[in-house]
Amino acid sequence: MCGIVGLHLRSPELYSRLGELLTGMLCEMEDRGADSAGIAVYGNDDWSPRGRGSVSLIDVEVSGETVAAALGAETGAEVTAVTVDNVVLASADVDSEVLLSAARKAFPHVLVGGFGEDLAVLKGVGAPRALAERWGLAKAQGWQGVGHTRMATESAVTSSGAHPYAVGPGECLVHNGSFSNHATIRRDLRAAGIEFDSENDTEVGARFVARQLADGKGVDEALTDLTRTFDGFYTLLVSNRDSFAVVRDAIACKPAVIAETDDWVAMASEYRALAHLPGVENARIWEPEPEVIYHWNRQEVSA
Ligand SMILES: NC(=O)CC[C@H](N)C(=O)O
């Protein structure tokens, strides 16, 4: 199992409702994965102030003030940090990769949930509904959100095993399924100097995609490469600051549904997670085809 949800808003009138709508989607998928959960939210000023680099630190166990002071000392920038349950969200007027290296230096064992401009990533162990409540997700605003409810298949139930895997700048990946050749690909990526936070198969997929994007490939090409490299079962939702993409394996046995209106694009493992979205009764709704990459950029659509 595992549940995936994602909402890409086109209409700015809905930005103030992103968290409310995403909470409903995530909670509806709780029975597909009740051991841990995570979300990525793009554009919530309270968590990742606009135009600033930000880094999300999971289970850091020191106060936001301590994080802000330590990252400020490392970067020379004025760093602000907010604590949201088990996550500290730090931001500053510097590139997010500068903030990321400062965080790794100051807190060498910290789990980095994600980093980028306008991006906050929260994840943890527990029931998705309880986590969403503790995070205050319903109040979040923004233009795009992704969520995952996990039923672990490949690695321990820990924050580092929870999705999303947001391992490249502004990027985020969630997965339902399991990759059967992830150990081989992990070995190749490790040999190329890439480090991992967990034994999770999904992290291998995320690191693979991040590497393709870092090499200058576009999302479509990166995901095509993934379909040629990874064996096993998968429905994947891959987002970054400006894009939202879905791909399934050749057999496509892991459920997925996409719905689209003029105001939003949404995907979920099951339709019931979409049933409360405004205007869903007039949406174009379909099941994504095997190995077809569905990809939307902010504003326009391509498939
Ligand atoms: N149930 C799933 O889809 C699990 C996804 C992934 N293999 C994990 O263990 O995190």
Side-chain angles (χ1 to χ4, degrees):
M1 291 250 250
C2 276
I4 298 180
V5 297
L7 181 60
H8 170 91
L9 295 177
R10 289 173 161 151
S11 163
E13 283 175 21
L14 288 173
Y15 290 1
S16 62
R17 295 184 60 195
L18 178 75
E20 169 214 327
L21 297 170
L22 192 64
T23 301
M25 296 173 82
L26 188 81
C27 292
E28 197 58 51
M29 292 292 94
E30 179 165 86
D31 59 0
R32 293 189 60 88
D35 70 31
S36 48
I39 50 156
V41 171
Y42 293 83
N44 186 29
D45 271 340
D46 291 346
W47 289 350
S48 51
R50 192 169 318 191
R52 288 160 67 95
S54 69
V55 63
S56 307
L57 305 177
I58 314 287
D59 298 338
V60 65
E61 285 172 0
V62 294
S63 69
E65 291 76 35
T66 306
V67 170
L71 303 196
E74 287 290 340
T75 58
E78 195 176 316
V79 177
T80 53
V82 290
T83 302
V84 182
D85 191 42
N86 61 323
V87 184
V88 172
L89 302 165
S91 60
D93 231 340
V94 293
D95 191 280
S96 65
E97 302 202 39
V98 172
L99 214 51
L100 172 68
S101 3
R104 291 207 188 283
K105 211 159 161 207
F107 305 103
H109 303 297
V110 74
L111 175 63
V112 174
F115 62 101
E117 205 182 303
D118 303 321
L119 172 65
V121 177
L122 292 86
K123 54 185 184 173
V125 172
R129 186 178 298 274
L131 288 167
E133 235 160 70
R134 297 212 301 265
W135 293 331
L137 176 59
K139 288 199 222 88
Q141 311 203 349
W143 67 80
Q144 183 166 268
V146 168
H148 188 267
T149 61
R150 183 173 186 231
M151 192 190 80
T153 62
E154 305 293 323
S155 69
V157 177
T158 57
S159 295
S160 65
H163 308 208
Y165 284 98
V167 303
E171 296 163 20
C172 165
L173 179 148
V174 290
H175 173 206
N176 173 205
S178 51
F179 295 125
S180 51
N181 59 343
H182 67 99
T184 312
I185 301 166
R186 180 188 294 264
R187 257 197 313 274
D188 293 347
L189 291 174
R190 274 205 175 120
I194 290 172
E195 291 176 18
F196 288 81
D197 292 328
S198 74
E199 292 304 313
N200 191 291
D201 58 326
T202 306
E203 185 181 357
V204 182
R207 301 252 174 224
F208 177 89
V209 171
R211 186 169 190 228
Q212 310 295 103
L213 296 177
D215 283 349
K217 295 188 178 169
V219 171
D220 292 329
E221 203 182 344
L223 294 182
T224 302
D225 287 352
L226 182 142
T227 63
R228 292 184 181 143
T229 310
F230 282 77
D231 297 327
F233 303 120
Y234 52 88
T235 293
L236 296 172
L237 172 58
V238 178
S239 62
N240 66 36
R241 203 174 162 276
D242 295 314
S243 77
F244 185 84
V246 176
V247 64
R248 297 169 90 191
D249 66 78
I251 296 170
C253 65
K254 294 296 174 189
V257 58
I258 298 178
E260 182 175 16
T261 72
D262 289 348
D263 292 336
W264 47 260
V265 179
M267 84 77 59
S269 298
E270 297 178 49
Y271 174 77
R272 61 193 162 103
L274 309 178
H276 63 293
L277 295 179
V280 73
E281 58 285 357
N282 298 318
R284 186 165 82 91
I285 298 173
W286 74 99
E287 186 184 345
E289 297 290 331
E291 290 194 330
V292 172
I293 292 148
Y294 297 85
H295 176 200
W296 293 262
N297 288 315
R298 258 163 110 188
Q299 304 303 329
E300 79 268 1
V301 54
S302 61

